[in-house]
Amino acid sequence: MKRNENLIPLSRDHHFGLLCSWKIRQGIKKDISYDRIKNYINHYWEENLSRHFEIEDIVLPETENNSLQVQMEKEHIEIKKLLKSINNSNDKKLLGDFADALRNHIRFEERMYFPHLEEYLTDEKMNEIGHQLNQIHQKEEDSYDDEFWK
């Protein structure tokens, strides 16, 4: 099924989230130090994932099947808790748990939650989501440009 164009910015973020998960797994396989992988996860969180979660919480509406929304929110909380645990531990298992949770969360959204939104939301509502995502993206670009020229 082709993704609705209004959700493509979120799906693009998901592509990079899957790449993050893969890199973590590769780091674990190659016995990269805990701190180096932890720093990578923290960087990815600060630069990408935290903002992605915020955006989803803002722009994705509740639907009749509220259980999917609840699952998305629970998984966001689980990933945040794993991040906190990673920063307070040296347990390499947590790194793999984070990679798995991120991958599974993205798969859930792409395979269940987004198709649900595409099926049940009106074209008008989907366009509203796309407009909000474009506005957020434009603000971020403008902010980045402002910082660049200081």
Side-chain angles (χ1 to χ4, degrees), residues 4-10 12 51 55 59 126-142:
N4 182 291
E5 67 184 24
N6 294 295
L7 295 176
I8 287 176
L10 296 175
R12 192 173 298 119
R51 185 72 179 130
I55 290 168
V59 303
M126 291 301 292
N127 289 335
E128 184 181 316
I129 290 169
H131 179 71
Q132 287 178 300
L133 289 171
N134 286 335
Q135 283 184 317
I136 291 167
H137 183 71
Q138 188 60 49
K139 284 180 186 175
E140 288 174 349
E141 281 183 2
D142 291 347

Side-chain angles (χ1 to χ4, degrees), residues 26-146:
Q26 291 302 303
I28 293 167
K29 282 183 188 176
K30 295 179 180 182
D31 204 28
I32 302 297
S33 76
Y34 183 90
D35 284 339
R36 187 169 171 194
I37 297 172
K38 176 182 81 172
N39 290 340
Y40 171 72
I41 291 170
N42 280 303
H43 175 78
Y44 186 76
W45 171 259
E46 291 298 324
E47 296 298 320
N48 299 290
L49 194 56
S50 64
R51 185 72 179 130
H52 176 82
F53 283 3
E54 288 173 21
I55 290 168
E56 284 183 338
D57 292 341
I58 292 168
V59 303
L60 297 180
E62 289 189 23
T63 63
E64 290 180 18
N65 187 348
N66 195 33
S67 66
L68 295 175
Q69 180 86 20
V70 169
Q71 181 175 341
M72 180 186 74
E73 292 168 359
K74 282 183 180 179
E75 289 178 4
H76 285 184
I77 291 167
E78 176 191 355
I79 290 168
K80 290 175 190 175
K81 284 181 180 177
L82 280 168
L83 180 69
K84 187 175 183 177
S85 295
I86 287 167
N87 285 311
N88 293 319
S89 175
N90 282 323
D91 183 358
K92 270 199 169 180
K93 181 183 179 314
L94 292 170
L95 303 174
D97 291 347
F98 181 89
D100 290 345
L102 180 58
R103 183 192 65 232
N104 293 339
H105 173 67
I106 291 168
R107 296 288 188 226
F108 160 74
E109 287 187 352
E110 289 291 332
R111 294 177 180 169
M112 295 181 72
Y113 188 58
F114 286 5
H116 171 75
L117 294 177
E118 291 167 332
E119 184 176 346
Y120 289 101
L121 295 180
T122 64
D123 289 343
E124 181 180 339
K125 189 63 181 169
M126 291 301 292
N127 289 335
E128 184 181 316
I129 290 169
H131 179 71
Q132 287 178 300
L133 289 171
N134 286 335
Q135 283 184 317
I136 291 167
H137 183 71
Q138 188 60 49
K139 284 180 186 175
E140 288 174 349
E141 281 183 2
D142 291 347
S143 174
Y144 176 78
D145 288 344
D146 290 346

